[in-house]
Amino acid sequence: MMSKSSPVNFLCVILLASAANSCEISSFSNVSVTVVGVLGIDKVSGCLEPIGLLEKVSFVQIINQSVPVLYRGAVKDLPNLADLILENSGVSSLEPG
């Protein structure tokens, strides 16, 4: 006999799935950005991945912000991203991936 799933169980599955997709180490911490392709995004934390409005982003510019390390998965799977510009942001290390 199949048991019915409660809304709480369903929510837990969604939360676990979204946590599994997020980056392991955050490269961005409340970093000011300029984006093209969506409205309403001016700061990012964590990583740049296709969650919510970021899925439609085609251009990301980060200037004069503190981003010393781009960790693995810092920018991933953005289907429309054509340009990513990091300028004067103190990047000293790029990890593979």
Side-chain angles (χ1 to χ4, degrees):
M1 180 176 182
M2 291 177 57
S3 63
K4 293 181 181 179
S5 295
S6 72
V8 173
N9 289 342
F10 185 69
L11 180 60
C12 288
V13 170
I14 291 173
L15 289 175
L16 288 173
S18 65
N21 290 332
S22 62
C23 48
E24 292 177 22
I25 302 174
S26 296
S27 291
F28 308 105
S29 179
N30 204 31
V31 172
S32 295
V33 297
T34 300
V35 298
V36 173
V38 296
L39 297 175
I41 297 176
D42 60 355
K43 300 248 184 212
V44 293
S45 290
C47 53
L48 298 170
E49 58 187 342
I51 295 176
L53 294 175
L54 283 176
E55 183 175 10
K56 298 178 180 180
V57 168
S58 60
F59 174 88
V60 177
Q61 184 175 14
I62 300 172
I63 298 177
N64 297 325
Q65 297 294 302
S66 178
V67 184
V69 179
L70 284 179
Y71 294 104
R72 179 184 185 115
V75 180
K76 63 182 178 182
D77 301 329
L78 294 172
N80 300 310
L81 186 64
D83 290 308
L84 171 65
I85 296 171
L86 289 125
E87 188 177 305
N88 263 355
S89 295
V91 176
S92 62
S93 180
L94 297 172
E95 291 192 356

